[in-house]
Amino acid sequence: MRWLSTVISLGLAADAVVGSSWFTKAAYNKWHETELERWLSDHDIPYPTPADRKDLENLIQKNWESYAVTPYKYWDSEKLSDYLQSKGVETKESAKSNKDALVSQVANSWYETEDKAQTAWTSVQDWILDSWTDSALKAFADKHGIPVPQPRTRDTVLQKVRANYETIAKKAGETASYPGDWLYDTWSESDLKEWLDTHGFPAPQVTDRNKLISMVRRNSRLAYLRMQDQKASAAASANAAYATVTDKLIDAWGESQLKEFCDKNGINVPQGSKINELRALVRKNRAQILGDTVSGSAASAFGAATSKAGNQYAKATDDASLAAQDAFNNVVGTWSESRLKAYLDARAVPVPQGSKTDELRALVRRNAHKAANPYTAWSWDDLSVDNLKKYLADSGNSAAKKVGDSSAATRDDLVEAAQSAYSSASSAGGGSYASATSYLASATEAAKKSTFDTWSESELKAYLDSYGIPVHQGSTINELKAEARKQSTYFKYGTTNPATTAFAKLGENVKGAYQWVASQLGAGSEAAKQKAGDIKEEL
């Protein structure tokens, strides 16, 4: 006993030393100088050049907690409230205006402890790959010659890539603790933007590949934490719901329903079995029927499970962003030819001469995730009249200024003049172009939450008409604004939906599990479908 007591005491003492040493031996203390500079650049923290290692470490130390440990402290009230809502934490209306109170609530329900956050950055390969798609993992394995035995399930590929992570970095002469662009060599710009879309990080309309990689790398830890949290929550809810639902359903089913269930799910029923024996047989085999548990199937929506349930779910849904892609396809299906061409032009996608509308639509869908150029002529078409007039007045273009000063000018006239002035500035370059892009950036940022709020009914109708969207008689102005925002969002961001919370995309990832649960309950009774719907509500 004395020996055991000594061991426990030593263990506790060691834990205390480890816990207290994070601020003196943080993960970044072992990083290469290029990694220190990369982390600062990713988080838009200026640093002197040249700078010695100590200066870089001191800069990171000042900002480390804010970005790597407790990032929520710098969120706005809306984002804090969204997070709490996603965690099922109720917030009173009075508390929503008190940011400190919201921060305190978020801290109490955050994904991980501060010690765990610190530990995570000492072994990046343990989590940074988890948010990758199956195809991205397989492409990485193929590029670097990592042998993966058949069948190449996600778990197997992930394990092999993770095991070879440091070896590949060393072969390439790269660092691995805070990895550089080498980690994303097999990703296209569309892949990078799709990752940001799927994980709820609104991607700016940038074409700079390095900037997109920086955004993915900077947000990878938070994406991983969200995935783990969503998976655990879905698994726990589905598991608890299924246990209750199954018992109720089994008790409610008659002999014919129980036999049909057994028949459809391959359960051997001894001849002459009584109804209570049938119920016992179903209960005994239900874990096998669903692979392991329904929680496994819910978790598989995030691509991690390889159980029977996971494989069945994988067949039922193409990928995590299926719902978003379907919605985008439906919207694009109503667009006018001019709007389809504008979408492609904004992304510098060549349009073959003589393309028909259906061909344009197909081309748009193929480029749903392609990053758009932030500064093109189309960037002006959803700015307010006031913003347009201000630009025209300050553009230095006399023709444009004349249009802006005209009281008879319609909004379409102002947009056309702004586009013309911008095109001239773009061709000329220099100060006028810099001024135009600067104005666009500030106007877009200022108006992103209030776009269309000041528009008149006729302006909204004209804008929707440019998309080929018919306006139904009796539509209210708020309905017109909502439709305009929807069309504008899809036009600018493709499958991104920056107006929603950062957790919406992950919610889509488990939507198919409910139908899968219902189908696996076998006998096709309406009660089973209703209960599966109850599971959906809980998740």
Side-chain angles (χ1 to χ4, degrees):
M1 287 296 292
R2 182 178 298 175
W3 174 81
L4 180 59
S5 176
T6 302
V7 170
I8 292 173
S9 298
L10 288 171
L12 291 172
D15 284 345
V17 170
V18 171
S20 65
S21 65
W22 278 119
F23 291 101
T24 55
K25 293 183 179 179
Y28 56 81
N29 291 143
K30 294 182 178 180
W31 289 0
H32 189 276
E33 283 185 32
T34 56
E35 292 177 309
L36 298 174
E37 292 176 347
R38 184 179 300 131
W39 190 91
L40 290 167
S41 295
D42 280 359
H43 295 87
D44 298 320
I45 300 169
Y47 59 89
T49 51
D52 60 31
R53 182 183 182 86
K54 190 64 178 173
D55 292 337
L56 296 173
E57 285 188 4
N58 286 340
L59 263 177
I60 292 182
Q61 185 179 12
K62 289 176 184 176
N63 293 278
W64 183 253
E65 184 176 356
S66 304
Y67 291 103
V69 182
T70 56
Y72 54 84
K73 288 183 178 179
Y74 291 89
W75 289 358
D76 59 28
S77 295
E78 183 182 358
K79 196 170 181 181
L80 291 164
S81 296
D82 285 342
Y83 173 83
L84 291 170
Q85 185 179 4
S86 76
K87 299 286 284 184
V89 179
E90 291 187 12
T91 54
K92 296 179 180 178
E93 285 301 319
S94 57
K96 289 182 180 179
S97 59
N98 186 339
K99 184 179 175 181
D100 289 340
L102 292 173
V103 168
S104 178
Q105 282 185 288
V106 170
N108 291 333
S109 62
W110 190 240
Y111 300 120
E112 60 183 351
T113 63
E114 293 189 12
D115 279 355
K116 191 174 179 182
Q118 296 281 12
T119 305
W121 290 99
T122 63
S123 187
V124 173
Q125 68 268 28
D126 288 345
W127 52 265
I128 200 168
L129 303 164
D130 286 51
S131 60
W132 287 26
T133 63
D134 292 2
S135 58
L137 289 168
K138 288 173 182 176
F140 186 89
D142 292 341
K143 175 179 172 63
H144 295 285
I146 302 172
V148 179
Q150 297 291 342
R152 301 180 84 190
T153 63
R154 177 182 175 85
D155 283 351
T156 305
V157 178
L158 184 57
Q159 181 185 13
K160 291 293 183 181
V161 170
R162 190 178 283 139
N164 287 274
Y165 176 85
E166 290 193 5
T167 303
I168 292 167
K170 286 177 182 176
K171 264 187 195 177
E174 298 283 358
T175 55
S177 297
Y178 191 73
D181 294 2
W182 66 271
L183 188 60
Y184 303 95
D185 275 351
T186 55
W187 290 36
S188 66
E189 285 182 17
S190 294
D191 293 332
L192 294 164
K193 187 169 181 282
E194 183 174 0
W195 186 96
L196 293 166
D197 293 350
T198 301
H199 293 283
F201 300 103
Q205 300 165 58
V206 296
T207 53
D208 185 86
R209 177 181 171 81
N210 292 335
K211 183 68 174 175
L212 289 171
I213 290 175
S214 173
M215 287 189 69
V216 170
R217 183 169 50 224
R218 182 176 73 234
N219 290 297
S220 284
R221 181 63 185 171
L222 188 53
Y224 167 78
L225 292 173
R226 285 176 183 165
M227 286 181 65
Q228 294 302 304
D229 183 69
Q230 290 278 343
K231 184 167 72 172
S233 176
S237 297
N239 196 33
Y242 177 75
T244 305
V245 168
T246 301
D247 285 336
K248 289 180 179 178
L249 283 175
I250 292 171
D251 288 338
W253 282 344
E255 184 175 344
S256 61
Q257 289 173 308
L258 289 164
K259 285 182 176 179
E260 185 180 359
F261 182 87
C262 291
D263 181 59
K264 286 189 175 183
N265 290 285
I267 302 173
N268 293 322
V269 178
Q271 193 172 1
S273 295
K274 297 178 180 179
I275 190 166
N276 285 336
E277 292 171 333
L278 289 172
R279 287 182 179 132
L281 196 59
V282 170
R283 286 190 174 97
K284 179 181 177 182
N285 287 276
R286 62 185 172 184
Q288 295 176 357
I289 294 165
L290 292 176
D292 288 318
T293 61
V294 171
S295 62
S297 71
S300 75
F302 295 86
T306 54
S307 63
K308 177 182 175 184
N311 291 333
Q312 289 297 322
Y313 181 79
K315 292 173 186 174
T317 184
D318 291 330
D319 57 56
S321 59
L322 180 63
Q325 187 66 51
D326 284 347
F328 178 75
N329 289 344
N330 290 335
V331 168
V332 169
T334 64
W335 282 3
S336 63
E337 184 176 323
S338 60
R339 186 55 69 169
L340 293 167
K341 287 181 177 178
Y343 181 95
L344 297 168
D345 179 59
R347 289 153 177 80
V349 177
V351 177
Q353 193 170 6
S355 295
K356 297 178 181 177
T357 303
D358 285 345
E359 292 169 336
L360 293 172
R361 203 163 275 135
L363 199 53
V364 166
R365 285 169 177 153
R366 282 202 298 274
N367 288 276
H369 294 290
K370 187 173 178 63
N373 189 311
Y375 307 120
T376 57
W378 62 265
S379 302
W380 302 92
D381 75 351
D382 63 355
L383 292 187
S384 68
V385 168
D386 287 343
N387 277 326
L388 289 166
K389 284 185 173 181
K390 188 175 186 307
Y391 170 70
L392 294 174
D394 299 339
S395 66
N397 184 306
S398 58
K401 188 176 184 302
K402 186 177 179 181
V403 175
D405 290 339
S406 171
S407 59
T410 64
R411 191 184 165 282
D412 287 344
D413 294 333
L414 297 175
V415 169
E416 188 177 345
Q419 290 174 334
S420 177
Y422 177 78
S423 295
S424 297
S426 177
S427 299
S432 58
Y433 179 63
S435 176
T437 54
S438 175
Y439 181 81
L440 257 181
S442 61
T444 302
E445 178 64 25
K448 66 181 178 181
K449 288 189 178 181
S450 59
T451 304
F452 306 112
D453 281 355
T454 60
W455 287 34
S456 68
E457 185 175 338
S458 59
E459 289 169 346
L460 290 164
K461 287 180 177 178
Y463 182 78
L464 291 172
D465 184 59
S466 74
Y467 283 90
I469 306 297
V471 176
H472 302 293
Q473 191 172 5
S475 297
T476 66
I477 192 164
N478 285 334
E479 288 171 339
L480 295 177
K481 288 175 182 177
E483 185 63 30
R485 286 192 185 98
K486 183 177 82 171
Q487 300 298 331
S488 174
T489 295
Y490 280 116
F491 180 79
K492 284 185 174 182
Y493 300 98
T495 53
T496 308
N497 189 358
T500 61
T501 68
F503 312 98
K505 290 290 181 183
L506 293 177
E508 291 167 5
N509 296 357
V510 293
K511 78 163 196 171
Y514 319 122
Q515 287 84 1
W516 189 86
V517 170
S519 69
Q520 290 297 302
L521 287 175
S525 73
E526 289 303 311
K529 294 177 183 176
Q530 177 60 46
K531 291 302 182 183
D534 293 342
I535 295 173
K536 176 175 179 178
E537 289 300 315
E538 290 191 28
L539 291 177

